[in-house]
Amino acid sequence: MTTLILLRHGRSSANTSGVLAGRSPGVQLDDTGKGQAWALAQRLKPLPLAAVVSSPMERCQQTVAPLLAGRDLTVEVDERLAEVDYGDWTGSEIKTLAKEPLWRVVQQHPSAAVFPGGEGLAAMQARAVAAVRRHDAAIAAAHGAHAVWLVCSHGDVIKAVLADALGMHLDAFQRIVVDPCSVSVVQYTETRPFVGRMNDTGGDVSGLLPPPPKRGRRRRSSTGAAAPSVSSSDAVVGGSTGVA
């Protein structure tokens, strides 16, 4: 099964201004965000990334730029991983939006929330999950089952993808926290996704390295047939050993 790293962009100028940036052009990383992006590139340096896919927003492009340095990779931009289209709410102050009736819907019943002049959160989740799963299947076919790849997107988008992977209804996705430049990890299998990390801002990533190629012949059963192995779709029963 491939390993997907979901990366939220680093801190932007809008994150600290109290404004809902949405798809506003020209929103860039602030100095803290640039430092976060550089530090993340150092953390992920040992990982042999098969692909990097990004939202078209400039703050995401800036976040993955240090990560691509020294790698024979180019970022693939996917509009389906763009920030939520907040419509008429775009560019407004959060403190003002919090007084709107729709704010409570976003907080308590987000699957029913549709932003005026924009899109609904349910539609956002559908497009983002479809994009991630399609990329994952293509990368597995091209690079093998142990490929590691990365998506750089936005807080609500990543929360929606994680909610789907966790089997949570979208109405519960506000329980998930995704900080700037944090990484979350999902592995998709035939049976179910496995969520390995969430909102990780500084943990060791060596456990995400793909396993070394197997050598030798497969163990054979007493009948001479290759002995079956536990499916990678099966969950560990009794608790894992902590080894990725």
Side-chain angles (χ1 to χ4, degrees):
M1 53 187 169
T2 59
T3 297
L4 163 62
I5 299 173
L6 292 165
L7 167 65
R8 184 184 173 190
H9 62 79
R11 197 179 80 175
S12 71
S13 54
N15 291 146
T16 56
S17 67
V19 170
L20 187 64
R23 297 183 177 184
S24 300
V27 177
Q28 302 187 7
L29 301 183
D30 63 13
D31 289 341
T32 295
K34 292 174 183 177
Q36 289 171 335
W38 182 88
L40 175 91
Q42 307 312 304
R43 280 183 66 204
L44 301 189
K45 204 168 188 178
L47 300 183
L49 297 177
V52 173
V53 184
S54 175
S55 156
M57 303 296 102
E58 189 171 359
R59 51 197 182 274
C60 290
Q61 306 287 314
Q62 288 180 303
T63 300
V64 298
L67 184 64
L68 295 172
R71 297 179 187 265
D72 187 20
L73 284 175
T74 56
V75 62
E76 179 178 351
V77 175
D78 191 332
E79 295 281 347
R80 295 171 298 176
L81 297 169
E83 177 62 288
V84 180
D85 183 355
Y86 293 111
D88 297 344
W89 279 28
T90 302
S92 299
E93 291 187 329
I94 299 294
K95 64 181 181 181
T96 300
L97 296 174
K99 300 173 184 177
E100 295 286 337
L102 180 60
W103 181 266
R104 300 317 305 168
V105 181
V106 172
Q107 297 299 317
Q108 299 176 3
H109 191 26
S111 66
V114 178
F115 297 98
E119 70 178 330
L121 289 174
M124 174 274 290
Q125 183 185 47
R127 63 161 164 92
V129 169
V132 163
R133 288 179 177 265
R134 185 166 297 180
H135 281 293
D136 191 77
I139 289 166
H143 299 280
H146 296 299
V148 181
W149 66 290
L150 181 143
V151 162
C152 184
S153 190
H154 308 268
D156 281 345
V157 178
I158 293 174
K159 286 163 58 177
V161 172
L162 287 172
D164 171 77
L166 289 165
M168 294 170 54
H169 195 282
L170 184 60
D171 284 347
F173 99 132
Q174 299 292 23
R175 302 182 184 194
I176 300 171
V177 175
V178 177
D179 290 324
C181 228
S182 66
V183 298
S184 300
V185 175
V186 179
Q187 293 176 313
Y188 291 99
T189 75
E190 293 180 0
T191 305
R192 63 177 66 84
F194 292 106
V195 178
R197 300 187 185 201
M198 292 176 61
N199 200 35
D200 181 349
T201 56
D204 178 27
V205 298
S206 60
L208 303 181
L209 286 167
K214 292 183 179 180
R215 295 182 179 180
R217 303 170 68 180
R218 287 185 62 187
R219 180 175 60 86
R220 308 192 75 81
S221 69
S222 58
T223 63
S229 60
V230 175
S231 168
S232 62
S233 296
D234 291 342
V236 175
V237 177
S240 76
T241 62
V243 179

